[in-house]
Amino acid sequence: MAGTTGNGRTARNVTSSRSTQNGVSQATGRPRGRVPGQALGRVPGQASAPAPGQADAEPDALTIGRRIRHLRTSRGMTLDDLASAIDRAPSQVSTLENGKREPKFSQLQAIARALGTGVDDLLSAEAPSERDALEIELERVQRGPLFASLGIEGVRIGKSLPHDALSTILALHRELERLHIERAATPEEARRANGELRGDMRAKDNYLPELEQVAKGLLADVGHTSGPLPQRMAAEIAAHLGFTLHYVSDLPHSTRSVIDTRNRRLYLPSKGFRGRSNTRSALLQALASHVLDHTEPGDYGEFLRQRVEANYLAAALMVPEKPGVKFLRDAKDERAIAIEDLRDAFGVSFETAAHRFTNLATRHLGIPVHFMKVHESGILHKAYENDGVRFPADALGAVEGQHVCKQWTARRVFDVEDRFNPYAQYTDTPSGTYWCTSRVENTSDGAFSVSVGVPFADVKWFEGRETTERNMSLCPDESCCRRPPEELSAKWGDFAWPSARPHASMLAAMPSGAYPGVETTEVYRFLERHAPEG
């Protein structure tokens, strides 16, 4: 039944139910298992306000009001006529037409009868005319926070406002909004977005059931029921989604893969990736972005969420929930959980196995956990926690780019000669004692440690709990590992002037262009070279 959502927007059209047949949505033509527009943390039916003329968007009060006014005037009815027909005051009808109040479903039914149309017509998200579309856009602009921050009076929107003036005002606002977004895309904004995303994932225990269902549906569609997902089956998923795979030697250097949606082609490097035995992970991540309807990110927060969603779905395809949970529960029963065993059982990298363990550990095993990926320089690149461990953080709460304590497992592992076996250690910290297992993986960007840890109370379920390695960390107290010894400070404090080697992420939170970090011209030229003739 139609109604209003918690954020004040009109809910989904009551007649817009969709069914699937032969694995394809009859309404959209998309393969079954797709969750169009449903990003992490968003709820279907709570989409952003629709752009003018965007028929697939959800209607809002402004659009509904303009459609009512358009239909009323086209039928030669006055406000008084319509008000009398639905037994309401003319001022109430005017309020509805101006989009200042959400209509109840019973009111929509009465209005539809009075106008000789259906409720579906009133609930269409498409503006009734080009002029109406511009007026709706301007009304939204003047009600928005950016316009409010300017401290100026809005213009009166009506027939007396010339069309060219309306278009000019909107063009100026779009440019102002573009500049505002560009100015907001700073390292501080990136760190804030990272902190918000980490908090969101903590609240969800790093588990996204909607993406688990998408993975389950895709695997069922290609007939994969158990065991590791082989490269051949990953290719079948691509074929099921309507893509052909093309392995090339000249993939743009700023990309891991490129999708050509016009010709339904997916391009991957013919030589694979350093540190990977195949291109399965990149293939599935590229397909995941397509399946989840990812579009150009509007800000850094959306960019990060899209990346998390694509990585999550790819991992859920390589380590499906049902067999993955069974494997881990059996290991827990034996008190022998090991990330290496999960890695070997499903033929994935240690990092993918570690990520997947954090997805499933709390929801299905009742084990709180933390994860870290740390560069050999000591810089924290990725992190997740819901077990109370305190990562190093800046004033905005962001942990990426911070130095990890030298006493933690993630740093100590770099000093271990044995790189074949995992390194495990107990670490006493101000927030408690944690056990952690870690491995070093070499990449084109240097060596990284990938670590998974749990509170002392939960180590009884893990292989490696018998380790005798133990350290104490006092961080964030600078006396732990950041403050140099007094004798060294006295000797070199006035004579050292190091030149920092900054990470690129410190300098630009969101590189310019439609897809952050990608050279768009290079990609377009690549597609032009490889496009099929005709």
Side-chain angles (χ1 to χ4, degrees):
M1 186 173 198
T4 57
T5 63
N7 61 2
R9 299 188 186 97
T10 303
R12 191 176 299 274
N13 188 337
V14 293
T15 63
S16 65
S17 60
R18 295 176 177 174
S19 60
T20 58
Q21 184 176 8
N22 299 325
V24 177
S25 165
Q26 292 176 348
T28 66
R30 297 187 180 100
R32 182 165 58 84
R34 207 166 161 85
V35 186
Q38 184 176 340
L40 188 156
R42 294 201 295 272
V43 179
Q46 290 183 330
S48 300
Q54 186 177 344
D56 290 337
E58 297 297 332
D60 65 357
L62 276 171
T63 308
I64 293 172
R66 291 307 174 106
R67 294 193 69 81
I68 292 173
R69 178 183 298 172
H70 178 79
L71 289 169
R72 175 179 62 78
T73 56
S74 67
R75 284 157 173 73
M77 296 177 68
T78 65
L79 274 176
D80 289 341
D81 292 337
L82 181 55
S84 177
I86 64 173
D87 195 24
R88 289 289 185 273
S91 60
Q92 291 179 294
V93 176
S94 178
T95 299
L96 291 178
E97 290 189 347
N98 289 326
K100 295 180 179 179
R101 178 178 297 175
E102 293 278 0
K104 297 179 181 179
F105 188 61
S106 58
Q107 287 179 317
L108 287 176
Q109 290 178 313
I111 292 171
R113 285 194 297 268
L115 296 175
T117 189
V119 172
D120 287 356
D121 198 10
L122 299 182
L123 286 176
S124 172
E126 185 174 359
S129 69
E130 180 185 356
R131 170 74 185 201
D132 282 306
L134 293 175
E135 291 186 2
I136 289 170
E137 183 180 356
L138 182 56
E139 187 67 49
R140 289 198 188 108
V141 162
Q142 296 187 156
R143 295 182 185 184
L146 178 56
F147 190 88
S149 69
L150 300 176
I152 60 177
E153 292 291 330
V155 299
R156 186 178 183 279
I157 303 173
K159 294 180 179 179
S160 60
L161 181 63
H163 189 87
D164 56 350
L166 178 58
S167 299
T168 300
I169 293 171
L170 286 172
L172 289 171
H173 182 271
R174 291 168 191 148
E175 178 62 13
L176 180 62
E177 188 174 51
R178 185 191 68 79
L179 293 172
H180 180 75
I181 293 172
E182 184 177 276
R183 185 175 59 191
T186 62
E188 290 76 15
E189 181 66 21
R191 291 196 291 272
R192 183 180 293 107
N194 267 310
E196 291 175 355
L197 178 60
R198 197 174 66 258
D200 189 19
M201 297 307 293
R202 184 191 306 117
K204 300 174 186 293
D205 289 328
N206 210 26
Y207 178 78
L208 303 177
E210 66 276 12
L211 297 192
E212 299 287 353
Q213 288 303 311
V214 174
K216 182 179 179 181
L218 285 173
L219 292 172
D221 287 343
V222 297
H224 183 74
T225 57
S226 62
L229 183 74
Q231 180 82 4
R232 171 185 57 81
M233 196 63 74
E236 289 189 18
I237 292 177
H240 169 69
L241 295 173
F243 288 96
T244 57
L245 301 182
H246 301 265
Y247 296 90
V248 297
S249 59
D250 61 338
L251 197 72
H253 76 280
S254 61
T255 66
R256 297 180 67 224
S257 64
V258 175
I259 283 183
D260 174 359
T261 57
R262 173 182 294 172
N263 299 297
R264 310 295 290 182
R265 290 181 161 207
L266 172 54
Y267 295 98
L268 296 159
S270 57
K271 295 182 179 180
F273 295 92
R274 181 176 175 180
R276 294 183 177 88
S277 58
N278 55 54
T279 57
R280 181 180 50 161
S281 177
L283 188 162
L284 293 175
Q285 286 175 11
L287 292 175
S289 292
H290 170 75
V291 168
L292 297 174
D293 269 353
H294 287 166
T295 57
E296 176 185 341
D299 54 38
Y300 199 75
E302 186 178 357
F303 167 65
L304 292 178
R305 288 178 182 275
Q306 288 183 0
R307 186 175 66 175
V308 166
E309 290 176 349
N311 290 341
Y312 191 109
L313 182 54
L317 289 168
M318 291 187 285
V319 185
E321 183 175 23
K322 185 175 180 179
V325 169
K326 183 181 186 305
F327 181 89
L328 291 172
R329 281 178 174 165
D330 290 345
K332 183 182 179 184
D333 291 342
E334 297 293 328
R335 294 177 178 252
I337 296 175
I339 306 302
E340 300 78 17
D341 291 347
L342 184 66
R343 172 200 65 187
D344 296 341
F346 290 90
V348 295
S349 68
F350 185 84
E351 182 176 350
T352 296
H355 271 300
R356 196 64 180 130
F357 177 74
T358 66
N359 297 152
L360 305 174
T362 305
R363 182 61 58 95
H364 293 289
L365 306 179
I367 301 176
V369 64
H370 67 266
F371 164 89
M372 289 182 289
K373 182 176 181 180
V374 178
H375 189 256
E376 57 188 332
S377 63
I379 296 294
L380 184 58
H381 278 236
K382 296 180 183 179
Y384 164 77
E385 51 77 25
N386 71 347
D387 60 358
V389 72
R390 289 180 60 188
F391 291 133
D394 65 11
L396 296 174
V399 302
E400 290 76 9
Q402 301 298 304
H403 278 89
V404 172
C405 178
K406 293 180 181 178
Q407 308 305 326
W408 283 17
T409 313
R411 294 287 301 275
R412 300 284 293 178
V413 67
F414 289 109
D415 299 327
V416 177
E417 292 185 6
D418 181 5
R419 295 290 176 91
F420 182 77
N421 295 301
Y423 173 74
Q425 174 185 299
Y426 291 94
T427 307
D428 299 318
T429 77
S431 58
T433 297
Y434 295 88
W435 172 90
C436 196
T437 180
S438 184
R439 290 193 73 100
V440 174
E441 294 187 332
N442 294 314
T443 74
S444 58
D445 296 321
F448 287 86
S449 68
V450 176
S451 310
V452 172
V454 296
F456 182 81
D458 293 288
V459 71
K460 59 189 175 183
W461 310 115
F462 290 81
E463 290 276 10
R465 60 183 177 275
E466 68 283 352
T467 182
T468 58
E469 297 290 342
R470 190 162 194 147
N471 268 302
M472 177 179 288
S473 169
L474 299 178
C475 284
D477 188 331
E478 290 189 356
S479 65
C480 178
C481 62
R482 298 189 182 185
R483 184 185 303 162
E486 292 184 5
E487 63 274 15
L488 288 178
S489 294
K491 184 175 182 179
W492 296 106
D494 295 331
F495 301 96
W497 189 263
S499 178
R501 183 181 180 182
H503 293 269
S505 59
M506 294 170 58
L507 304 178
M510 191 174 182
S512 60
Y515 300 95
V518 172
E519 294 186 10
T520 309
T521 301
E522 184 185 21
V523 171
Y524 292 167
R525 286 175 175 165
F526 167 83
L527 291 175
E528 186 69 18
R529 288 196 306 272
H530 289 274
E533 294 183 2

